């Protein structure tokens, strides 16, 4: 089985309710399926729906030090403008910014990182559920992780959402596919 | 069992059930709420006792009652809630009752904030209750270690008939890591020797009480307790030591901040500076011997904690003046970054280890 081998320091940020924390957990679970060492930590505080929220995910093979990705971000998933503004300067040179063009009208200005715009909110509405905008963003993240095939993704979605959520799998898989495109 | 991704708070709760905890009494407070939330569902599934008490004080007294009846019992809270429980903890220690207490610490003083902090080292280690007593205090730095130490804390509580405490910084409670819950054998203790579990006239009456109005009697009881404490010091002290032979400076940190110190050590290594780490896993008993066998190359010890400087007092006692000890901390819920710690180490070394 092809495996991910890269170390990744990921920060995911957006409004509460956009599925930011969930996406982080799913990314961590995917890499755990490949026996990588993973950690996930939310920036917890007095957060609420509509407020901002973010989490750090680290993927590597040896023991993880601080679980907080405070600097040297490899991949930033920015779901809204305050998130992009806050974390863009902390992305490592040569790193990647995936941002939600549906609601971020000012694109990243960094020239030394790869920038990928995803019309996540709008695509999710066209798919019939704004709840899956996080999966569309994750689809963009998974584009260069081809070893996470549909089977592993489905398995992880069931771990995260429980067997009862089986009927929600198709729309989530469709969203991930849309994000890859 | 394969590794699963779990939050620290949830994983240690599952470990408590696997350890044979039959009763939990608690009261809500952030950032430990996932513990009672998780246990309220799981303990019902398992047919065990879960009570959300009317207050922290009520909860710790319910723990006293259940422990007196011989149950394997647990409570959890966060810093201000643990402050309220101190009277009960002293009574548990006085009555020689085993229980496991988990404190997911937050920033203080007062109601403070809900962000992570380590400003309750004194509270945990030096105790806030009255009288001469100690409680073994465990300080894990990963979700896996938190679950492993839950088993140990329950066993040590039973073996020495003492409350045991685990302090989990807010970060560890909230973070998710892969974990495998591995239950070690349970220590065998005959609870009939002390528990008030219903007398069938087959044994002598057991009395649970911390009151003793005879001076000599109470003195003897204190000495008995301290014999146990000496045994605990000898047998139950835990630490992780990573000490290069040419270390110039030694970090001392516990909990998740010890992982940040490890990152700082890696940063220093890249600059050709050799640094070591002493990570107390038990805060009481404190691993003082680790500080007495440092390489001769060590110029200073740098204690990095999320407090204004609490563990540093035990480090200074352990060093006994042999090497200068410095402190670097952030408080209020602010967490230091690896480069902050590395820079502080370099600043200290530039001055030859002195202030």
């Amino acid at each position: 089985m092809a495996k991910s081998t890269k170390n990744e320091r990921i920060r995911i940020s957006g409004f509460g309710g956009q599925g930011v924390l969930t996406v982080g957990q799913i990314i961590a679970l995917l890499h755990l399926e490949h026996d990588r060492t993973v950690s996930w930590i939310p920036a917890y505080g007095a957060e609420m729906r509509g407020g901002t929220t973010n989490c750090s995910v680290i993927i590597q093979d040896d023991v993880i030090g601080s679980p907080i990705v405070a600097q040297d971000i490899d991949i930033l998933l920015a779901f809204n403008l305050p998130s992009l503004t806050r974390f863009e300067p902390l992305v490592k040179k040569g790193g990647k910014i995936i941002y939600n063009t549906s609601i971020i009208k000012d694109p990243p200005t960094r020239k030394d990182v790869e920038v990928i715009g995803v019309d996540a909110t709008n695509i999710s509405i066209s798919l019939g559920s704004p709840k899956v905008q996080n999966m569309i963003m994750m689809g963009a993240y998974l584009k260069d992780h081809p070893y996470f095939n549909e089977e592993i993704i489905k398995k992880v979605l069931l771990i995260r959402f429980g067997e009862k959520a089986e009927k929600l799998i198709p729309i989530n898989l469709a969203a991930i596919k849309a994000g890859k495109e | 069992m394969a590794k699963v991704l779990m939050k620290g708070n949830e994983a240690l709760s599952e470990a408590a059930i696997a350890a044979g905890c039959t009763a939990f009494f608690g009261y809500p407070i952030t950032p430990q709420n996932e513990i009672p939330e998780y246990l309220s569902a799981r303990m019902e599934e398992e047919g065990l006792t879960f009570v959300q008490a009317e207050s922290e004080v009520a909860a710790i007294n319910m723990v006293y009652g259940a422990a007196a009846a011989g149950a394997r019992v647990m409570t959890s809270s966060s810093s201000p809630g643990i402050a309220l429980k101190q009277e009960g903890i002293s009574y548990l220690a006085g009555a020689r009752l085993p229980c496991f207490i988990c404190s997911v610490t937050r920033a203080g003083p007062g109601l403070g904030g809900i962000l992570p902090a380590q400003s309750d080292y004194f509270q945990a280690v030096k105790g806030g209750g009255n009288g001469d007593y100690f409680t073994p205090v465990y300080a894990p730095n990963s979700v896996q270690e938190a679950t492993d130490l839950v088993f140990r804390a329950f066993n040590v509580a039973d073996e020495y008939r003492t409350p045991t405490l685990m302090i989990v910084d807010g970060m560890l409670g909230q973070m998710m890591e892969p974990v495998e819950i591995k239950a070690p054998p349970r220590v065998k203790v005959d609870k009939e020797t002390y528990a008030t579990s219903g007398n069938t006239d087959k044994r002598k009456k057991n009395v649970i009480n911390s009151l003793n109005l005879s001076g000599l009697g109470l003195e003897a009881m204190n000495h008995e307790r301290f014999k146990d404490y000496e045994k605990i010091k000898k047998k139950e002290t835990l630490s992780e030591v990573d000490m290069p032979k040419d270390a110039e400076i030694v970090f001392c940190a516990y909990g998740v901040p010890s992982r940040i110190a490890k990152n700082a050590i890696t940063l220093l290594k890249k600059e050709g500076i050799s640094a070591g780490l002493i990570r107390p896993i038990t805060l009481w008993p404190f691993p003082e011997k680790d500080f007495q066998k440092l390489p001769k190359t060590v110029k200073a010890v740098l204690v990095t904690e999320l407090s204004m400087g609490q563990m540093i007092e035990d480090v200074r006692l352990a060093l006994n003046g042999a090497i200068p000890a410095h402190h670097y901390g952030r408080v209020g819920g602010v967490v230091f970054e690896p480069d902050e710690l590395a820079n502080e180490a370099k600043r200290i070394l530039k001055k030859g280890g002195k202030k």
Side-chain angles (χ1 to χ4, degrees):
Chain A
M1 181 174 65
K3 254 183 84 162
S4 58
T5 50
K6 262 188 300 184
N7 292 349
E8 294 180 11
R9 295 168 56 80
I10 308 166
R11 194 102 191 197
I12 308 169
S13 183
F15 290 124
Q18 279 184 308
V20 166
L21 301 183
T22 308
V23 135
Q25 290 172 0
I26 291 171
I27 290 173
L29 281 165
L30 281 169
H31 288 276
L32 182 60
E33 285 296 311
H34 279 183
D35 291 324
R36 307 291 309 274
T37 308
V38 303
S39 69
W40 171 95
I41 187 167
Y44 77 93
E47 312 287 10
M48 62 187 114
R49 192 176 302 236
T52 60
T53 185
N54 71 81
C55 64
S56 297
V57 178
I58 298 179
I59 320 285
Q60 56 190 59
D61 289 310
D62 47 348
V63 177
I64 292 171
S66 171
I68 300 167
V69 181
Q71 46 211 7
D72 296 332
I73 299 172
D74 293 312
I75 302 167
L76 169 66
L77 270 67
F79 283 60
N80 65 4
L81 185 60
S83 303
L84 184 64
T85 310
R86 180 170 165 201
F87 293 112
E88 184 181 347
L90 304 177
V91 177
K92 209 195 257 175
K93 200 178 155 188
K96 187 187 282 187
I97 297 175
I98 299 170
Y99 76 107
N100 180 6
T101 57
S102 311
I103 55 171
I104 302 175
K105 296 304 171 198
D106 303 319
T109 53
R110 292 270 300 267
K111 298 288 172 234
D112 56 349
V113 299
E114 187 187 346
V115 172
I116 298 168
V118 185
D119 196 9
T121 312
N122 290 332
I123 298 174
S124 69
I125 293 166
S126 70
L127 284 173
S129 171
K131 282 186 193 160
V132 297
Q133 58 182 300
N134 58 344
M135 292 295 142
I136 295 165
M137 293 288 281
M138 191 176 76
Y141 162 84
L142 289 175
K143 207 173 168 186
D144 66 350
H145 295 76
Y147 28 77
F148 293 130
N149 57 32
E150 198 171 291
E151 193 188 342
I152 296 181
I153 293 170
K154 197 176 159 194
K155 182 178 170 192
V156 161
L157 289 175
L158 286 173
I159 292 173
R160 176 59 184 78
F161 298 121
E163 299 291 331
K164 275 182 281 181
E166 182 128 31
K167 62 178 192 299
L168 298 173
I169 299 296
I171 187 169
N172 279 289
L173 289 177
I176 291 165
K177 193 158 166 261
K180 280 188 189 171
E181 287 156 5
Chain B
M1 191 182 133
K3 285 194 170 179
V4 291
L5 195 65
M6 283 181 102
K7 263 194 178 192
N9 281 340
E10 294 176 352
L12 70 89
S13 303
E14 187 59 41
I17 291 174
C21 173
T22 54
F24 176 94
F25 307 95
Y27 187 78
I29 181 169
T30 308
Q32 67 86 52
N33 282 327
E34 290 85 358
I35 298 175
E37 182 192 9
Y38 186 91
L39 286 175
S40 63
R42 282 287 289 124
M43 293 192 88
E44 186 174 316
E45 271 173 28
E46 299 285 332
L48 305 168
T49 302
F50 174 93
V51 177
Q52 179 172 317
E54 66 271 37
S55 71
E56 287 88 347
V57 177
I60 194 73
N61 284 295
M62 291 175 188
V63 166
Y64 184 103
R72 218 172 210 204
V73 57
M74 169 182 179
T75 185
S76 69
S77 192
S78 177
S79 309
I82 297 291
L84 290 166
K85 289 183 197 288
Q86 293 295 349
E87 178 196 52
I89 297 171
S90 168
Y91 277 51
L92 282 150
R96 296 193 67 201
L97 288 175
C99 68
F100 171 56
I101 302 156
C102 186
S103 174
V104 185
T105 57
R106 60 187 250 179
L111 212 42
I114 61 173
L115 294 173
Q118 295 183 307
S119 41
D120 296 311
Y121 180 91
F122 286 156
Q123 184 192 53
V125 172
K126 312 292 174 181
N130 59 298
D132 275 321
Y133 76 96
F134 290 101
T135 47
V137 180
Y138 295 90
N141 80 344
S142 70
V143 175
Q144 182 65 56
E145 191 176 64
T147 65
D148 296 342
L149 290 176
V150 165
F151 294 107
R152 198 177 185 99
F154 270 113
N155 273 345
V156 166
D158 273 355
E159 189 172 348
Y160 302 94
R161 283 180 58 190
T162 174
T164 55
L165 194 68
M166 185 155 91
I167 57 176
V168 171
D169 51 73
M171 280 179 286
L172 186 53
Q174 297 295 324
M175 73 186 281
M176 287 177 113
E177 280 188 310
V179 60
E180 187 179 359
I181 294 167
K182 295 171 286 195
R186 182 171 172 165
V187 69
K188 287 206 171 51
V189 176
D190 182 9
K191 296 207 172 186
E192 287 300 307
T193 57
Y194 69 87
T196 49
S197 51
N199 199 350
T200 54
D201 293 334
K202 284 188 186 136
R203 59 162 166 80
K204 223 176 76 201
K205 185 168 75 172
N206 287 332
V207 177
I208 302 284
N209 191 7
S210 69
L211 179 72
N212 191 332
L213 294 174
S214 130
L216 287 174
L218 186 52
E219 185 182 46
M221 188 276 259
N222 272 283
H223 280 289
E224 274 305 302
R225 280 271 64 183
F226 272 69
K227 274 185 207 160
D228 285 342
Y229 295 150
E230 281 310 312
K231 270 190 231 159
I232 293 171
K233 278 187 188 175
K234 267 198 197 107
K235 286 176 62 186
E236 305 296 342
T237 307
L238 297 174
S239 64
E240 177 195 346
V241 179
D242 182 9
M243 196 65 60
K245 281 195 191 99
D246 60 349
E248 295 171 65
I249 191 161
V250 173
F251 284 88
C252 179
Y254 67 96
V256 172
S258 69
R259 299 166 61 145
I260 302 172
K262 283 183 187 180
N263 288 142
I265 290 167
T266 308
L267 289 176
L268 290 167
K269 203 174 171 188
K270 281 185 192 151
E271 296 184 40
I273 299 166
S274 179
L277 173 72
I278 297 175
R279 175 172 77 90
I281 298 172
T282 49
L283 302 182
W284 191 88
F286 193 70
E288 43 194 47
K289 290 202 177 96
D290 293 335
F291 293 86
Q292 287 150 14
K293 44 193 178 195
L294 297 175
K296 293 223 160 36
T297 47
V298 175
K299 295 188 185 76
V301 173
L302 174 55
V303 183
T304 54
E305 24 171 0
L306 298 176
S307 75
M308 294 300 285
Q310 299 194 5
M311 182 170 68
I312 189 169
E313 294 194 359
D314 283 335
V315 172
R316 286 207 172 109
L317 285 171
L319 286 168
N320 201 13
I323 301 170
H326 301 258
H327 172 264
Y328 186 82
R330 297 295 299 268
V331 293
V334 183
V335 180
F336 36 59
E337 305 284 345
D339 58 347
E340 260 180 280
L341 304 188
N343 287 340
E344 181 64 10
K346 282 190 279 186
R347 195 188 65 78
I348 291 164
L349 285 173
K350 212 174 260 175
K351 292 187 172 178
K354 294 185 196 77
K355 289 264 152 173

